Coordinates of all heavy atoms in Angstrom, one line a residue:
V16 N 4.2 26.4 -4.2 CA 4.6 25.1 -3.7 C 4.0 24.0 -4.5 O 2.8 24.0 -4.7 CB 4.2 25.0 -2.2 CG1 4.6 23.6 -1.7 CG2 4.8 26.0 -1.3
R17 N 4.8 23.1 -4.9 CA 4.2 22.0 -5.7 C 4.2 20.7 -4.8 O 5.2 20.4 -4.1 CB 5.1 21.7 -6.9 CG 5.1 22.7 -7.9 CD 5.9 22.4 -9.1 NE 5.8 23.4 -10.1 CZ 6.4 23.4 -11.2 NH1 7.1 22.4 -11.6 NH2 6.3 24.4 -12.1
V18 N 3.1 20.0 -4.9 CA 3.0 18.8 -4.1 C 2.5 17.7 -5.1 O 1.6 17.9 -5.8 CB 1.9 18.9 -3.0 CG1 1.7 17.6 -2.3 CG2 2.3 20.0 -2.0
Y19 N 3.3 16.7 -5.2 CA 3.1 15.6 -6.1 C 2.4 14.4 -5.3 O 3.1 13.8 -4.4 CB 4.4 15.1 -6.7 CG 5.0 16.2 -7.5 CD1 6.0 17.0 -7.0 CD2 4.5 16.6 -8.8 CE1 6.6 18.0 -7.7 CE2 5.1 17.6 -9.5 CZ 6.1 18.3 -9.0 OH 6.7 19.4 -9.6
P20 N 1.2 14.1 -5.5 CA 0.5 13.1 -4.7 C 1.1 11.7 -4.8 O 0.9 10.9 -3.9 CB -0.9 13.0 -5.3 CG -1.0 14.1 -6.3 CD 0.3 14.7 -6.5
A21 N 1.9 11.4 -5.8 CA 2.5 10.1 -5.9 C 3.6 9.9 -4.9 O 4.1 8.9 -4.7 CB 3.0 9.8 -7.3
S22 N 4.1 11.0 -4.3 CA 5.2 10.9 -3.4 C 5.0 11.6 -2.1 O 5.9 11.5 -1.2 CB 6.5 11.4 -4.1 OG 6.3 12.8 -4.5
H23 N 4.0 12.4 -1.9 CA 3.9 13.2 -0.6 C 2.5 12.8 0.1 O 1.5 13.2 -0.4 CB 3.9 14.7 -0.9 CG 5.2 15.1 -1.4 ND1 5.7 14.9 -2.6 CD2 6.2 15.7 -0.7 CE1 6.9 15.4 -2.7 NE2 7.3 15.9 -1.6
H24 N 2.7 12.1 1.2 CA 1.5 11.9 2.0 C 2.0 12.1 3.4 O 3.0 11.7 3.9 CB 1.1 10.4 1.9 CG 0.5 10.0 0.6 ND1 -0.8 10.2 0.3 CD2 1.1 9.5 -0.6 CE1 -1.1 9.9 -1.0 NE2 0.1 9.4 -1.5
V25 N 1.2 12.9 4.1 CA 1.6 13.3 5.5 C 0.7 12.5 6.5 O -0.5 12.5 6.4 CB 1.3 14.8 5.7 CG1 1.7 15.2 7.2 CG2 2.1 15.6 4.7
L26 N 1.4 11.7 7.3 CA 0.7 10.8 8.3 C 1.3 11.0 9.6 O 2.6 11.2 9.8 CB 0.9 9.4 7.8 CG 0.3 8.9 6.5 CD1 0.8 7.5 6.2 CD2 -1.2 9.0 6.5
T27 N 0.5 10.9 10.7 CA 1.0 10.9 12.0 C 1.5 9.4 12.3 O 1.2 8.5 11.5 CB -0.1 11.2 13.0 OG1 -1.1 10.2 13.0 CG2 -0.7 12.6 12.8
A28 N 2.2 9.3 13.4 CA 2.7 7.9 13.7 C 1.6 6.9 13.9 O 1.6 5.8 13.5 CB 3.6 8.0 14.9
E29 N 0.5 7.4 14.5 CA -0.7 6.6 14.7 C -1.3 6.2 13.4 O -1.7 5.0 13.2 CB -1.7 7.4 15.6 CG -2.9 6.5 15.9 CD -3.9 7.3 16.8 OE1 -3.5 7.7 17.9 OE2 -5.0 7.6 16.3
E30 N -1.4 7.1 12.5 CA -2.0 6.9 11.1 C -1.1 5.9 10.4 O -1.6 5.0 9.7 CB -2.2 8.1 10.3 CG -3.3 9.0 10.8 CD -3.3 10.4 10.1 OE1 -2.2 10.9 9.8 OE2 -4.4 10.9 9.9
R31 N 0.2 6.1 10.5 CA 1.1 5.2 9.8 C 0.9 3.7 10.3 O 0.9 2.8 9.5 CB 2.5 5.6 10.1 CG 3.5 5.0 9.2 CD 4.9 5.4 9.4 NE 5.0 6.9 9.2 CZ 6.0 7.6 9.6 NH1 7.0 7.1 10.2 NH2 6.0 8.9 9.3
G32 N 0.7 3.6 11.6 CA 0.4 2.2 12.2 C -0.8 1.6 11.6 O -0.8 0.4 11.2
R33 N -1.9 2.4 11.5 CA -3.1 1.9 10.9 C -2.9 1.5 9.4 O -3.4 0.5 9.0 CB -4.2 3.0 11.0 CG -5.5 2.6 10.3 CD -6.5 3.8 10.1 NE -5.9 5.0 9.5 CZ -5.8 5.1 8.2 NH1 -6.1 4.1 7.3 NH2 -5.3 6.2 7.7
V34 N -2.2 2.4 8.7 CA -2.0 2.1 7.3 C -1.2 0.8 7.1 O -1.6 0.0 6.3 CB -1.2 3.3 6.6 CG1 -0.7 2.9 5.2 CG2 -2.1 4.5 6.5
V35 N -0.2 0.6 7.9 CA 0.6 -0.6 7.8 C -0.2 -1.8 8.1 O -0.1 -2.8 7.4 CB 1.9 -0.5 8.7 CG1 2.6 -1.8 8.9 CG2 2.9 0.5 8.1
S36 N -1.0 -1.7 9.2 CA -1.9 -2.9 9.5 C -2.8 -3.2 8.4 O -3.1 -4.4 8.1 CB -2.7 -2.5 10.8 OG -1.8 -2.4 11.9
D37 N -3.4 -2.2 7.8 CA -4.4 -2.4 6.7 C -3.7 -3.0 5.5 O -4.3 -4.0 4.9 CB -5.0 -1.1 6.3 CG -6.0 -0.5 7.3 OD1 -6.3 -1.2 8.3 OD2 -6.5 0.6 7.1
I38 N -2.5 -2.6 5.2 CA -1.8 -3.1 4.0 C -1.5 -4.6 4.3 O -1.7 -5.4 3.4 CB -0.6 -2.3 3.7 CG1 -1.0 -0.9 3.2 CG2 0.3 -3.0 2.7 CD1 0.2 0.1 3.1
V39 N -1.0 -4.9 5.4 CA -0.5 -6.2 5.8 C -1.8 -7.2 5.8 O -1.7 -8.3 5.3 CB 0.2 -6.3 7.1 CG1 0.5 -7.7 7.6 CG2 1.6 -5.6 6.9
A40 N -2.9 -6.7 6.3 CA -4.1 -7.5 6.3 C -4.6 -7.8 4.9 O -4.9 -9.0 4.6 CB -5.2 -6.8 7.1
E41 N -4.6 -6.8 4.0 CA -5.0 -7.0 2.6 C -4.0 -8.0 1.9 O -4.4 -8.8 1.1 CB -5.1 -5.7 1.9 CG -5.6 -5.9 0.5 CD -5.9 -4.6 -0.2 OE1 -6.2 -3.6 0.4 OE2 -5.8 -4.6 -1.5
L42 N -2.7 -7.8 2.2 CA -1.7 -8.7 1.7 C -2.0 -10.1 2.0 O -1.9 -11.0 1.1 CB -0.3 -8.3 2.2 CG 0.8 -9.2 1.8 CD1 1.0 -9.2 0.3 CD2 2.1 -8.8 2.5
G43 N -2.3 -10.4 3.2 CA -2.7 -11.8 3.6 C -3.8 -12.4 2.8 O -3.7 -13.5 2.4
L44 N -4.9 -11.6 2.7 CA -6.0 -12.0 1.9 C -5.6 -12.3 0.4 O -6.0 -13.3 -0.1 CB -7.1 -11.0 1.9 CG -7.8 -10.7 3.3 CD1 -8.7 -9.6 3.2 CD2 -8.4 -12.0 3.8
R45 N -4.9 -11.4 -0.1 CA -4.5 -11.5 -1.6 C -3.6 -12.7 -1.8 O -3.7 -13.4 -2.8 CB -3.9 -10.2 -2.1 CG -3.6 -10.2 -3.5 CD -4.8 -10.3 -4.4 NE -4.4 -10.3 -5.8 CZ -4.8 -11.2 -6.7 NH1 -5.7 -12.1 -6.3 NH2 -4.4 -11.1 -7.9
T46 N -2.6 -12.8 -0.9 CA -1.7 -13.9 -1.1 C -2.4 -15.3 -0.9 O -2.0 -16.2 -1.6 CB -0.4 -13.9 -0.2 OG1 -0.8 -13.7 1.1 CG2 0.5 -12.7 -0.6
E47 N -3.3 -15.4 0.0 CA -4.1 -16.6 0.1 C -4.9 -16.9 -1.2 O -4.9 -18.1 -1.6 CB -5.1 -16.5 1.3 CG -4.5 -16.6 2.6 CD -5.5 -16.4 3.7 OE1 -6.7 -16.5 3.5 OE2 -5.1 -16.2 4.9
E48 N -5.5 -15.9 -1.8 CA -6.2 -16.0 -3.0 C -5.2 -16.6 -4.1 O -5.6 -17.5 -4.8 CB -6.7 -14.7 -3.6 CG -8.0 -14.3 -3.2 CD -8.4 -12.9 -3.8 OE1 -8.0 -12.7 -4.9 OE2 -9.0 -12.1 -3.1
L49 N -4.1 -16.0 -4.2 CA -3.1 -16.4 -5.3 C -2.7 -17.9 -5.0 O -2.5 -18.6 -6.0 CB -1.9 -15.5 -5.3 CG -2.2 -14.1 -5.8 CD1 -1.0 -13.2 -5.6 CD2 -2.5 -14.1 -7.3
E50 N -2.4 -18.2 -3.8 CA -1.9 -19.6 -3.5 C -3.0 -20.6 -3.7 O -2.7 -21.7 -4.2 CB -1.4 -19.6 -2.0 CG -0.1 -18.9 -1.9 CD 0.4 -18.8 -0.5 OE1 -0.3 -19.3 0.5 OE2 1.5 -18.2 -0.3
R51 N -4.3 -20.3 -3.4 CA -5.4 -21.2 -3.7 C -5.5 -21.4 -5.2 O -5.9 -22.5 -5.6 CB -6.7 -20.7 -3.1 CG -6.9 -20.9 -1.7 CD -8.3 -20.7 -1.2 NE -8.8 -19.4 -1.6 CZ -8.8 -18.3 -0.8 NH1 -8.2 -18.4 0.4 NH2 -9.3 -17.2 -1.2
A52 N -5.2 -20.4 -6.0 CA -5.3 -20.5 -7.4 C -4.0 -21.1 -8.0 O -3.9 -21.2 -9.3 CB -5.5 -19.1 -8.0
G53 N -3.1 -21.6 -7.2 CA -1.9 -22.2 -7.7 C -0.8 -21.2 -8.2 O 0.1 -21.7 -8.9
Q54 N -0.9 -20.0 -7.8 CA 0.0 -19.0 -8.3 C 1.0 -18.6 -7.1 O 1.1 -17.5 -6.7 CB -0.7 -17.7 -8.8 CG -1.6 -18.0 -10.0 CD -2.4 -16.8 -10.4 OE1 -3.0 -16.1 -9.5 NE2 -2.5 -16.6 -11.6
R55 N 1.7 -19.6 -6.7 CA 2.6 -19.5 -5.6 C 3.8 -18.4 -5.9 O 4.1 -17.7 -5.0 CB 3.2 -20.8 -5.2 CG 2.2 -21.7 -4.5 CD 2.8 -22.8 -3.8 NE 1.8 -23.5 -3.0 CZ 1.4 -24.7 -3.3 NH1 1.9 -25.3 -4.4 NH2 0.4 -25.3 -2.6
L56 N 4.3 -18.4 -7.1 CA 5.4 -17.5 -7.4 C 4.9 -16.1 -7.3 O 5.5 -15.2 -6.8 CB 5.9 -17.8 -8.8 CG 7.1 -16.9 -9.2 CD1 8.3 -17.0 -8.3 CD2 7.5 -17.3 -10.6
E57 N 3.7 -15.8 -7.9 CA 3.1 -14.5 -7.8 C 2.9 -14.1 -6.4 O 3.1 -12.9 -6.0 CB 1.8 -14.4 -8.6 CG 2.0 -14.5 -10.1 CD 2.1 -16.0 -10.6 OE1 2.2 -16.9 -9.8 OE2 2.1 -16.1 -11.9
A58 N 2.4 -15.0 -5.6 CA 2.1 -14.7 -4.1 C 3.4 -14.3 -3.4 O 3.5 -13.4 -2.7 CB 1.4 -15.9 -3.4
K59 N 4.5 -15.1 -3.7 CA 5.8 -14.8 -3.1 C 6.3 -13.5 -3.5 O 6.8 -12.7 -2.7 CB 6.8 -15.9 -3.5 CG 8.1 -15.8 -2.9 CD 9.0 -16.9 -3.4 CE 10.4 -16.7 -2.8 NZ 11.3 -17.8 -3.3
R60 N 6.2 -13.1 -4.8 CA 6.7 -11.8 -5.3 C 5.9 -10.7 -4.7 O 6.5 -9.7 -4.3 CB 6.6 -11.8 -6.8 CG 7.6 -12.6 -7.5 CD 7.5 -12.6 -9.0 NE 8.5 -13.3 -9.7 CZ 8.4 -13.7 -10.9 NH1 7.4 -13.3 -11.7 NH2 9.4 -14.4 -11.5
L61 N 4.6 -10.9 -4.7 CA 3.7 -9.8 -4.1 C 4.1 -9.6 -2.6 O 4.2 -8.5 -2.1 CB 2.2 -10.2 -4.2 CG 1.3 -9.2 -3.6 CD1 1.3 -7.9 -4.3 CD2 -0.2 -9.8 -3.7
R62 N 4.2 -10.7 -1.9 CA 4.6 -10.6 -0.4 C 5.9 -9.9 -0.3 O 6.0 -8.9 0.6 CB 4.6 -12.0 0.2 CG 4.8 -12.0 1.7 CD 4.8 -13.4 2.3 NE 3.6 -14.1 2.0 CZ 3.5 -15.2 1.2 NH1 4.5 -15.6 0.6 NH2 2.3 -15.7 1.0
A63 N 6.9 -10.2 -1.0 CA 8.2 -9.6 -0.9 C 8.2 -8.1 -1.2 O 8.7 -7.3 -0.4 CB 9.2 -10.3 -1.8
R64 N 7.6 -7.8 -2.3 CA 7.5 -6.4 -2.7 C 6.7 -5.5 -1.7 O 7.1 -4.5 -1.3 CB 6.9 -6.2 -4.1 CG 6.9 -4.8 -4.6 CD 6.3 -4.7 -6.0 NE 4.9 -4.9 -5.9 CZ 4.2 -5.8 -6.7 NH1 4.8 -6.5 -7.6 NH2 2.9 -5.9 -6.6
T65 N 5.6 -6.1 -1.3 CA 4.7 -5.3 -0.3 C 5.4 -5.2 1.0 O 5.3 -4.1 1.6 CB 3.3 -6.0 -0.2 OG1 2.7 -6.1 -1.5 CG2 2.4 -5.2 0.7
L66 N 6.0 -6.2 1.5 CA 6.7 -6.1 2.8 C 7.8 -5.2 2.8 O 8.1 -4.4 3.7 CB 7.1 -7.5 3.3 CG 5.9 -8.4 3.7 CD1 6.4 -9.8 4.1 CD2 5.0 -7.8 4.8
R67 N 8.5 -5.1 1.6 CA 9.6 -4.1 1.4 C 9.0 -2.7 1.5 O 9.6 -1.8 2.2 CB 10.3 -4.3 0.1 CG 11.5 -3.4 -0.1 CD 12.2 -3.5 -1.4 NE 11.2 -3.0 -2.4 CZ 10.8 -3.7 -3.5 NH1 11.3 -4.9 -3.7 NH2 10.0 -3.2 -4.4
N68 N 7.9 -2.5 0.8 CA 7.3 -1.2 0.8 C 6.8 -0.8 2.2 O 6.9 0.3 2.7 CB 6.1 -1.1 -0.1 CG 6.5 -1.2 -1.6 OD1 7.7 -0.9 -1.9 ND2 5.6 -1.5 -2.4
V69 N 6.2 -1.8 3.0 CA 5.8 -1.5 4.3 C 6.9 -1.1 5.2 O 6.8 -0.2 6.0 CB 5.1 -2.8 4.9 CG1 4.9 -2.7 6.4 CG2 3.7 -2.9 4.2
R70 N 8.1 -1.8 5.1 CA 9.3 -1.4 5.9 C 9.7 0.0 5.6 O 10.0 0.8 6.5 CB 10.4 -2.4 5.6 CG 10.4 -3.6 6.4 CD 11.7 -4.4 6.3 NE 12.2 -4.7 5.0 CZ 11.8 -5.7 4.2 NH1 11.0 -6.6 4.7 NH2 12.3 -5.9 3.0
E71 N 9.7 0.4 4.3 CA 10.0 1.8 3.9 C 9.0 2.8 4.5 O 9.4 3.8 4.9 CB 10.1 1.9 2.4 CG 11.3 1.2 1.8 CD 11.4 1.4 0.3 OE1 10.8 2.3 -0.2 OE2 12.2 0.6 -0.3
I72 N 7.7 2.4 4.4 CA 6.7 3.3 5.0 C 7.0 3.5 6.5 O 6.9 4.6 7.0 CB 5.3 2.8 4.7 CG1 5.0 2.9 3.2 CG2 4.3 3.6 5.5 CD1 3.7 2.2 2.8
E73 N 7.3 2.4 7.2 CA 7.5 2.5 8.6 C 8.8 3.3 8.9 O 8.8 4.1 9.9 CB 7.7 1.1 9.2 CG 6.4 0.3 9.3 CD 6.6 -1.1 9.7 OE1 7.6 -1.7 9.4 OE2 5.7 -1.6 10.4
E74 N 9.8 3.1 8.1 CA 11.1 3.8 8.4 C 11.2 5.2 7.9 O 11.7 6.1 8.6 CB 12.2 3.0 7.8 CG 12.5 1.6 8.4 CD 13.4 0.8 7.6 OE1 14.0 1.3 6.6 OE2 13.6 -0.4 8.0
K75 N 10.7 5.5 6.7 CA 10.8 6.8 6.1 C 9.5 7.5 5.9 O 9.6 8.7 5.6 CB 11.5 6.6 4.7 CG 12.9 6.0 4.7 CD 13.5 6.0 3.3 CE 12.9 5.0 2.4 NZ 13.6 4.9 1.1
G76 N 8.4 6.8 6.0 CA 7.1 7.5 5.8 C 6.6 7.5 4.4 O 5.5 8.0 4.1
F77 N 7.4 6.9 3.5 CA 7.0 6.8 2.1 C 7.7 5.7 1.5 O 8.7 5.1 2.0 CB 7.2 8.1 1.4 CG 8.7 8.5 1.2 CD1 9.4 8.1 0.1 CD2 9.3 9.2 2.2 CE1 10.7 8.4 -0.1 CE2 10.7 9.5 2.1 CZ 11.4 9.1 0.9
C78 N 7.3 5.3 0.3 CA 8.0 4.3 -0.5 C 7.8 4.6 -2.0 O 6.9 5.4 -2.3 CB 7.6 2.9 -0.2 SG 5.9 2.6 -0.7
K79 N 8.6 4.0 -2.8 CA 8.4 4.2 -4.3 C 7.1 3.5 -4.6 O 6.8 2.4 -4.2 CB 9.5 3.5 -5.0 CG 9.5 3.7 -6.5 CD 10.7 3.2 -7.2 CE 10.5 3.5 -8.7 NZ 11.7 3.3 -9.4
G80 N 6.2 4.2 -5.3 CA 4.9 3.7 -5.7 C 3.9 3.8 -4.6 O 2.9 3.0 -4.6
I81 N 4.1 4.7 -3.7 CA 3.1 4.9 -2.6 C 1.7 5.1 -3.0 O 0.8 4.8 -2.3 CB 3.6 6.0 -1.6 CG1 2.9 5.8 -0.2 CG2 3.4 7.4 -2.2 CD1 3.5 6.5 0.9
E82 N 1.5 5.6 -4.2 CA 0.2 5.9 -4.8 C -0.6 4.6 -4.8 O -1.8 4.6 -4.8 CB 0.2 6.6 -6.1 CG 0.8 5.8 -7.2 CD 2.3 5.8 -7.4 OE1 3.0 6.3 -6.5 OE2 2.8 5.2 -8.3
N83 N 0.1 3.4 -4.9 CA -0.6 2.1 -4.9 C -1.3 1.9 -3.6 O -2.2 1.0 -3.6 CB 0.4 1.0 -5.2 CG 0.9 1.1 -6.6 OD1 0.2 1.5 -7.6 ND2 2.2 0.8 -6.8
Y84 N -1.0 2.6 -2.6 CA -1.6 2.4 -1.3 C -2.5 3.5 -0.9 O -2.8 3.7 0.3 CB -0.5 2.2 -0.2 CG 0.5 1.1 -0.6 CD1 1.8 1.3 -1.0 CD2 0.1 -0.3 -0.5 CE1 2.6 0.3 -1.4 CE2 0.9 -1.3 -0.8 CZ 2.2 -1.0 -1.3 OH 3.0 -2.0 -1.6
S85 N -2.9 4.3 -1.9 CA -3.7 5.5 -1.6 C -5.0 5.2 -0.8 O -5.4 6.0 0.0 CB -4.0 6.3 -2.9 OG -4.8 5.6 -3.7
R86 N -5.7 4.1 -1.1 CA -6.9 3.8 -0.4 C -6.6 3.6 1.1 O -7.4 4.1 1.9 CB -7.5 2.5 -1.0 CG -8.8 2.1 -0.3 CD -9.4 0.8 -0.8 NE -8.6 -0.4 -0.5 CZ -8.6 -1.0 0.7 NH1 -9.4 -0.5 1.6 NH2 -8.0 -2.1 0.9
H87 N -5.5 3.0 1.4 CA -5.2 2.8 2.8 C -4.8 4.1 3.4 O -5.1 4.4 4.6 CB -4.0 1.8 2.9 CG -4.4 0.4 2.4 ND1 -5.2 -0.4 3.0 CD2 -4.0 -0.1 1.2 CE1 -5.3 -1.5 2.2 NE2 -4.6 -1.4 1.2
L88 N -4.0 4.9 2.7 CA -3.6 6.2 3.2 C -4.7 7.1 3.5 O -4.7 7.9 4.5 CB -2.6 6.9 2.3 CG -1.3 6.1 2.0 CD1 -0.6 6.7 0.8 CD2 -0.4 6.2 3.3
A89 N -5.8 7.1 2.7 CA -6.9 8.0 2.9 C -8.0 7.3 3.8 O -8.9 8.0 4.1 CB -7.5 8.3 1.5
G90 N -7.8 6.1 4.1 CA -8.8 5.4 5.0 C -10.1 5.0 4.3 O -11.1 4.9 4.9
R91 N -10.0 4.9 3.0 CA -11.3 4.6 2.2 C -11.5 3.1 2.3 O -10.6 2.2 2.4 CB -11.1 5.0 0.7 CG -11.1 6.5 0.5 CD -11.2 6.9 -0.9 NE -10.4 6.1 -1.8 CZ -9.1 6.4 -2.1 NH1 -8.5 7.5 -1.6 NH2 -8.4 5.7 -3.0
A92 N -12.8 2.7 2.1 CA -13.2 1.3 2.1 C -12.8 0.7 0.8 O -12.7 1.4 -0.3 CB -14.7 1.2 2.3
P93 N -12.7 -0.6 0.7 CA -12.4 -1.3 -0.5 C -13.5 -1.0 -1.6 O -14.7 -1.0 -1.2 CB -12.4 -2.8 -0.2 CG -12.1 -2.8 1.3 CD -12.7 -1.6 1.8
G94 N -13.1 -0.8 -2.8 CA -14.0 -0.6 -3.9 C -14.5 0.9 -4.0 O -15.2 1.2 -5.0
T95 N -14.1 1.7 -3.1 CA -14.5 3.1 -3.2 C -13.6 3.8 -4.2 O -12.4 3.6 -4.2 CB -14.5 3.9 -1.9 OG1 -13.2 3.8 -1.3 CG2 -15.6 3.3 -0.9
P96 N -14.1 4.8 -5.0 CA -13.3 5.5 -5.9 C -12.3 6.4 -5.2 O -12.6 6.9 -4.2 CB -14.3 6.2 -6.8 CG -15.5 6.4 -6.0 CD -15.5 5.2 -5.1
P97 N -11.2 6.7 -5.8 CA -10.2 7.6 -5.2 C -10.7 9.0 -5.3 O -11.5 9.3 -6.1 CB -8.9 7.4 -6.0 CG -9.4 6.9 -7.4 CD -10.6 6.1 -7.1
E98 N -10.2 9.8 -4.4 CA -10.5 11.3 -4.5 C -9.8 11.9 -5.7 O -8.7 11.4 -6.1 CB -10.0 11.9 -3.2 CG -10.8 11.4 -2.0 CD -10.2 12.0 -0.7 OE1 -9.2 12.8 -0.7 OE2 -10.7 11.7 0.4
T99 N -10.4 12.9 -6.2 CA -9.8 13.7 -7.3 C -9.8 15.1 -7.0 O -10.3 15.6 -6.0 CB -10.6 13.5 -8.6 OG1 -11.9 14.1 -8.4 CG2 -10.8 12.0 -9.0
L100 N -9.1 15.9 -7.8 CA -9.0 17.3 -7.6 C -10.4 18.0 -7.6 O -10.5 19.1 -7.1 CB -8.0 18.0 -8.6 CG -6.6 17.6 -8.4 CD1 -5.7 18.2 -9.5 CD2 -6.0 18.0 -7.1
L101 N -11.3 17.4 -8.3 CA -12.6 18.0 -8.5 C -13.6 17.6 -7.4 O -14.8 18.0 -7.4 CB -13.2 17.7 -9.9 CG -12.3 18.1 -11.0 CD1 -12.9 17.6 -12.3 CD2 -12.1 19.6 -11.0
D102 N -13.2 16.8 -6.4 CA -14.1 16.4 -5.4 C -14.5 17.5 -4.4 O -13.8 18.3 -4.1 CB -13.6 15.2 -4.6 CG -13.7 13.9 -5.3 OD1 -14.5 13.9 -6.3 OD2 -13.0 13.0 -5.0

C-alpha cells in the first residue's frame, strides 16, 4: 500500500474542526501583518486561497496542497520542525 503524505491525512470530525479553527486563526494574524505592511492585494489573495482550501477540507477532508497545513494537521506548535520518516 502506498500512502502519499501530500494527499492523505486521516482526521476525525473533531480533529478537522480543530485544524480548520487553527488555520483560520493563523490566517487572521497573517493577513493583519500583510495589511499593516501595505500589502492589501497579497492579503486578499491569501485570504481567498486559504478560505477555499478550508472549505475543501471541511467538505472533502483534503485539498490540493494540504501539505502546506501539515503543522496544523499534526497539532505541532509554530516553529517546530515537521516530522520525518526517520523520527
Side-chain angles (χ1 to χ4, degrees):
V16 175
R17 292 182 182 184
V18 177
Y19 300 98
S22 60
H23 291 79
H24 291 274
V25 179
L26 300 171
T27 65
E29 183 178 297
E30 290 172 324
R31 193 178 300 164
R33 176 192 52 80
V34 167
V35 166
S36 295
D37 288 353
I38 292 170
V39 171
E41 184 174 332
L42 172 63
L44 296 173
R45 183 65 180 131
T46 54
E47 284 177 16
E48 268 180 41
L49 290 169
E50 288 174 0
R51 278 196 307 270
Q54 297 176 316
R55 289 198 171 107
L56 181 59
E57 289 82 353
K59 182 179 177 182
R60 288 178 178 167
L61 178 64
R62 186 178 301 111
R64 185 180 69 233
T65 303
L66 292 177
R67 183 186 67 234
N68 290 345
V69 164
R70 276 194 305 275
E71 288 183 18
I72 291 170
E73 289 175 324
E74 293 170 5
K75 300 186 287 185
F77 67 93
C78 68
K79 185 174 182 171
I81 197 164
E82 68 275 8
N83 295 321
Y84 305 106
S85 64
R86 180 180 70 78
H87 301 286
L88 295 166
R91 290 191 316 271
T95 58
E98 296 174 357
T99 65
L100 293 176
L101 301 176
D102 283 344

